[in-house]
Amino acid sequence: GWLEGSVTEIMDENSYLYDKTGKTLYCYLRSSKTLGGYGNLMKFVYNGTSWVPSEVKTESGKTLLYNQLPGGFNKFHITLDKQTGLQWLLSSVNSDSMNVSVTKKREGDPINERKDLGLYYSADGLNWNFAGFVSRGEEETHARNYASMYIYGNDMYILSRSGNENAASQHNNNLITLHKVENFRSL
């Protein structure tokens, strides 16, 4: 159930995940078999010759294996904004993860909702704030998913695997769409 990771560095000096040596990266992983608001987290530390994977531990010694991650049930994308040090997250927004009747409209589990693409930000890599919707679909096949982003100046460009009413399902899309979020840092 772990797949499709996104690697980043935490730049917030107040975050428990921050490494002042700059030798730690974090890999957030899709957790396709959990509830919609969770993902997996792994740590990689550079030892001078290679990146060594390990679990993320809290000060109490507990493992942060599953952590809050909006849309962590589906493919997501995280990018570090080097200007502010904030992490930006693109993910599917889940609104109906426990309704078994929706599987007639959605391929797979009820959690497999992909019609709304949301944008979030975080300073510490653990607590995510909703910035807004990038795109919202009117029906299940109007998907915006598997998105990636690029920051250029004050704007964010988002490329998304997408669908319309002619798509086979919310997963099997028929379009690629480009979205621009102007002055995204103001969100």
Side-chain angles (χ1 to χ4, degrees):
W2 298 10
L3 63 159
E4 301 169 338
S6 192
V7 177
T8 191
E9 181 179 7
I10 304 300
M11 302 304 292
D12 178 11
E13 295 178 9
N14 295 315
S15 173
Y16 180 75
L17 301 180
Y18 176 71
D19 176 7
K20 64 182 176 183
T21 68
K23 295 181 179 181
T24 301
L25 295 176
Y26 293 91
C27 183
Y28 294 84
L29 294 150
R30 173 182 173 186
S31 181
S32 64
K33 300 300 178 191
T34 63
L35 295 175
Y38 292 89
N40 300 99
L41 182 61
M42 289 190 67
K43 178 166 91 170
F44 291 82
V45 179
Y46 188 68
N47 67 8
T49 57
S50 62
W51 290 93
V52 180
S54 66
E55 297 174 330
V56 178
K57 300 274 187 186
T58 65
E59 288 183 273
S60 67
K62 292 191 176 190
T63 302
L64 283 177
L65 190 57
Y66 293 97
N67 64 300
Q68 279 190 319
L69 187 67
F73 62 94
N74 202 343
K75 175 77 169 114
F76 56 86
H77 183 84
I78 298 174
T79 293
L80 172 65
D81 176 14
K82 293 182 181 179
Q83 182 175 321
T84 63
L86 292 176
Q87 306 293 327
W88 288 87
L89 166 69
L90 278 171
S91 67
S92 296
V93 178
N94 194 282
S95 64
D96 204 2
S97 67
M98 300 301 281
N99 186 340
V100 295
S101 68
V102 298
T103 56
K104 295 175 182 139
K105 299 177 191 173
R106 293 183 198 151
E107 183 179 286
D109 297 327
I111 200 169
N112 200 17
E113 185 175 359
R114 299 169 183 232
K115 66 183 180 67
D116 297 330
L117 183 61
L119 183 62
Y120 302 80
Y121 63 93
S122 174
D124 64 6
L126 294 173
N127 298 287
W128 296 94
N129 301 289
F130 184 68
F133 287 101
V134 173
S135 178
R136 300 196 74 187
E138 293 180 24
E139 55 187 79
E140 293 298 330
T141 58
H142 291 181
R144 301 293 185 264
N145 58 144
Y146 288 71
S148 60
M149 66 186 121
Y150 180 75
I151 296 170
Y152 185 76
N154 293 319
D155 301 329
M156 180 182 290
Y157 293 87
I158 298 165
L159 192 63
S160 175
R161 189 174 95 179
S162 302
N164 61 20
E165 59 279 351
N166 297 319
S169 69
Q170 85 284 5
H171 180 271
N172 299 327
N173 308 132
N174 62 337
L175 302 171
I176 296 173
T177 55
L178 177 65
H179 309 267
K180 180 180 179 182
V181 180
E182 295 179 352
N183 297 311
F184 73 96
R185 291 182 190 97
S186 67
L187 298 173

